[in-house]
């Protein structure tokens, strides 16, 4: 017997039929789905000063996502930032498949409720083509991170890439998964 994440089962049993009914798709293949989740952490100036910051970022990101993180390197020289081509500037992970659903479930149930003064995530992070990005200001909201071993607080960007054609479809999909968007009063 193989393991299937609970959010994947929920998508197949509840979310997809609800989206088909809401938007009137003719076939289930038209229904938008979550393709991947990309997590990016820019370490910037800290990476220029101390090379261990990149290693620490890779270690933390790997613990958070359950997948080995890779460093990102600069693509061009920028003299104002004392940046040279090929220098490490951040850490990233791209999650697909079952690890993606597992991370999403941990994000919704365990991490987002730990954000201080949380009133919902902003709905202005859509890009017009069905993808959504939001930022987290501190990595300590994740239960996998030991607060005592943190040298400095780092934020990260989380991007949800969907197969939705419009932002409205993507918003509905992510709401069905359980992402707590701010209530709109218009």
């Amino acid at each position: 017997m193989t393991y299937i994440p609970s959010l994947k089962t929920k998508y197949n049993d509840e979310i997809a039929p609800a989206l088909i009914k809401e938007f009137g798709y003719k076939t289930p293949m038209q229904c938008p789905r979550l393709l991947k989740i990309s997590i990016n952490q820019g370490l910037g100036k800290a990476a220029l000063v101390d090379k261990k910051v990149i290693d620490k970022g890779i270690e933390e990101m790997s613990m958070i996502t359950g997948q080995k993180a890779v460093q990102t390197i600069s693509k061009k020289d920028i003299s104002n930032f004392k940046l040279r081509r090929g220098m490490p500037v951040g850490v990233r992970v791209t999650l697909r498949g079952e690890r993606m659903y597992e991370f999403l479930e941990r994000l919704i149930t365990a991490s987002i409720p730990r954000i201080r003064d949380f009133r919902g995530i902003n709905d202005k992070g859509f890009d017009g083509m069905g993808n959504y990005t939001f930022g987290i200001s501190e990595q300590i909201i994740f239960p996998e991170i030991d607060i005592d071993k943190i040298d400095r607080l780092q934020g990260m960007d989380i991007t949800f890439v969907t197969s939705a054609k419009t932002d409205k479809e993507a918003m509905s999909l992510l709401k069905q998964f359980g992402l707590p968007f701010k209530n709109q009063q218009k």
Side-chain angles (χ1 to χ4, degrees):
M1 187 166 150
T2 60
Y3 170 72
I4 300 172
S6 60
L7 278 182
K8 188 174 188 177
T9 309
K10 181 180 178 183
Y11 175 79
N12 292 329
D13 296 344
E14 300 171 21
I15 297 173
L19 290 172
I20 290 170
K21 186 176 182 181
E22 180 181 349
F23 292 104
Y25 299 124
K26 301 208 182 331
T27 68
M29 295 303 288
Q30 288 179 308
C31 189
R33 58 177 56 57
L34 191 59
L35 300 175
K36 65 182 176 180
I37 298 176
S38 298
I39 301 112
N40 179 31
Q41 187 175 40
L43 301 173
K45 282 190 172 180
L48 297 174
V49 175
D50 187 11
K51 302 297 181 202
K52 293 179 184 171
V53 173
I54 293 288
D55 296 333
K56 186 74 171 165
I58 289 173
E59 179 185 329
E60 288 176 358
M61 187 79 74
S62 297
M63 281 193 310
I64 290 169
T65 60
Q67 181 173 309
K68 179 85 166 101
V70 296
Q71 69 180 8
T72 55
I73 56 172
S74 64
K75 293 182 180 172
K76 49 181 154 175
D77 301 333
I78 303 173
S79 62
N80 291 345
F81 298 129
K82 297 180 183 163
L83 190 65
R84 301 282 171 251
R85 185 186 333 210
M87 291 178 75
V89 292
V91 180
R92 69 179 166 90
V93 175
T94 301
L95 300 171
R96 291 182 173 89
E98 292 175 359
R99 283 196 177 135
M100 171 186 68
Y101 287 109
E102 285 296 318
F103 174 77
L104 180 59
E105 186 170 6
R106 285 194 322 263
L107 180 72
I108 293 168
T109 60
S111 301
I112 289 180
R114 294 177 68 173
I115 298 175
R116 278 183 275 152
D117 300 330
F118 184 69
R119 291 185 177 84
I121 56 177
N122 198 347
D123 63 345
K124 303 225 183 309
F126 288 96
D127 67 350
M129 297 189 302
N131 304 317
Y132 177 70
T133 302
F134 76 100
I136 294 175
S137 58
E138 301 172 339
Q139 80 271 34
I140 59 174
I141 67 164
F142 294 98
E144 297 88 0
I145 300 293
D146 185 11
I147 297 174
D148 297 332
K149 295 182 181 176
I150 297 296
D151 297 334
R152 50 183 280 152
L153 294 176
Q154 284 292 134
M156 61 183 67
D157 295 323
I158 300 175
T159 302
F160 298 94
V161 179
T162 68
S163 64
K165 303 288 186 230
T166 65
D167 289 346
K168 185 178 179 189
E169 292 173 347
M171 173 87 135
S172 181
L173 173 69
L174 294 175
K175 274 186 180 177
Q176 296 267 347
F177 271 122
L179 278 175
F181 287 99
K182 288 181 182 173
N183 292 334
Q184 292 287 331
Q185 281 104 18
K186 289 185 179 180

